[in-house]
DNA sequence: GCAATATACTAGGACATCCAAGGGTTTGGA
DNA sequence: TCCAAACCCTTGGATGTCCTAGTATATTGC
């Protein structure tokens, strides 16, 4: 989307914050802005790898989640909770995955309100291929040093727990 | 969007990865997934604080950027580069900010291709208020320990440099 | 000087996310 | 037993992001 900038725009923002008398929150501001930007970079890489499979990250995540469920099926509300996205986002993803023949909707055997999402054979195969590609091309070359990976997992894990993501 | 889960879904995913023989990339996968989720949490907090001001994060970022430019004006392509988003995203944000009377478009004095975005008095005032609110309600209570903030800035700064964000 | 190339912005389209609302199903207490 | 409250999914609308053209203006090179 552009060439490298001569200077780090986030470091500049941090300096601006300090210059305006907000030095006490300049560092967390910079950290949070860096998280936003890093997410954007990673998402672009992931989408790039998934594109040849006809998948987006949102759809891949759902496919991967289903592939780890023993039965290959999950209620939509369960998927929504585990992926931590709004139920309407799951509806949207399932619509498209179903159109692509990768999942099917089936009624819950005992609860008439619930819809199960079920992986098709084709969906399971594609999930495997896409995962292999992501492992090789993204996770295997994340650009994070081993020790930094551990730091990130620890720091962000604490943050997510405090934010109410999980009780653990 | 939901209550806390009994267990950390990302730690579960990491275990699944290991169980399937991808132990060598399970940790980076978990770190990257955690970044995605953390971004989502932070964005929701920020949007919540900005909503009373009639702003979204994308619009706020542009407003804040302009407020730090000495003249209060920037070419659209410059804004696109500094915010590191696609030019069409800037067009979109400017359209809405202009409708709200917070910025105006003006022609570049010497380059007929370029459009300048200029902060209005109203826009400058709102930027100040919104920044104060974000500093108090988000950056001032980020939930990150002081030392962890430094770690994040360092780790993500290295990542962004390697990703080609800036030369520095 | 003029054509070819590069740059700047915008229009249209595909996706994803959230919120608000609506219709069907279960559950639980009176 | 039965109705209100709770729960589940979907539809419709607002935003934001990106990509692919398309139009207009500048620059370059011959």
């Amino acid at each position: 989307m552009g060439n490298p900038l001569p200077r780090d725009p986030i470091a500049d923002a941090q300096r601006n914050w300090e210059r305006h008398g907000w030095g006490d929150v300049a560092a967390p501001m910079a950290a949070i802005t860096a998280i936003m930007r890093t997410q954007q970079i990673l998402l672009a890489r992931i989408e790039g790898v998934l594109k040849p499979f006809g998948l987006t990250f949102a759809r891949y995540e759902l496919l991967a989640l289903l592939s780890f469920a023993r039965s290959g099926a999950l209620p939509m509300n369960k998927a929504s909770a585990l992926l931590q996205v709004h139920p309407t986002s799951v509806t949207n993803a399932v619509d498209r995955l179903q159109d692509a023949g990768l999942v099917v909707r089936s009624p819950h055997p005992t609860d008439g309100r619930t819809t199960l999402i079920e992986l098709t054979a084709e969906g399971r195969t594609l999930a495997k291929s896409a995962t292999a590609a992501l492992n090789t091309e993204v996770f295997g070359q994340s650009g994070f040093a081993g020790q930094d990976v551990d730091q990130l997992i620890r720091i962000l894990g604490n943050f997510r727990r405090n934010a109410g993501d999980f009780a653990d």
Side-chain angles (χ1 to χ4, degrees), chain A:
Chain A
M1 195 153 26
N3 302 310
L5 293 165
R7 292 160 356 115
D8 179 358
I10 295 180
D12 282 351
Q14 186 171 355
R15 276 187 284 274
N16 278 330
W17 243 247
E18 287 162 355
R19 193 156 49 75
H20 282 259
W22 303 314
D24 50 333
V25 297
M29 181 283 297
I32 287 172
T33 305
I35 290 170
M36 310 299 271
R37 173 58 184 154
T38 301
Q39 186 268 351
Q40 186 184 22
I41 294 169
L42 290 169
L43 182 58
R45 285 190 193 170
I46 290 171
E47 298 274 14
V49 171
L50 292 177
K51 198 180 188 83
F53 296 95
L55 290 175
T56 62
F57 186 47
R59 297 178 211 168
Y60 167 77
E61 277 194 295
L62 183 50
L63 230 45
L65 185 63
L66 290 172
S67 76
F68 285 119
R70 284 301 176 202
S71 59
L74 277 179
M76 302 210 32
N77 65 334
K78 193 100 183 188
S80 169
L82 291 174
L83 296 176
Q84 306 186 268
V85 295
H86 200 278
T88 53
S89 297
V90 177
T91 294
N92 185 317
V94 171
D95 283 349
R96 298 170 193 282
L97 288 172
Q98 191 162 38
D99 287 348
L102 303 173
V103 305
V104 290
R105 269 182 248 245
S106 61
H108 189 286
T110 67
D111 190 333
R113 297 168 300 182
T114 300
T115 300
L116 292 176
I117 325 165
E118 210 170 321
L119 214 47
T120 65
E122 199 182 339
R124 187 177 292 281
T125 302
L126 191 65
K128 251 196 239 305
S129 308
T131 297
L134 281 181
N135 282 338
T136 301
E137 300 172 43
V138 179
F139 303 139
Q141 333 178 27
S142 67
F144 291 121
Q147 211 164 10
D148 289 348
V149 167
D150 296 336
Q151 290 291 305
L152 285 174
I153 291 176
R154 177 185 64 76
I155 295 171
L156 302 180
N158 286 334
F159 174 83
R160 292 183 297 113
R161 183 183 303 105
N162 289 336
D165 262 15
F166 56 97
D168 223 3

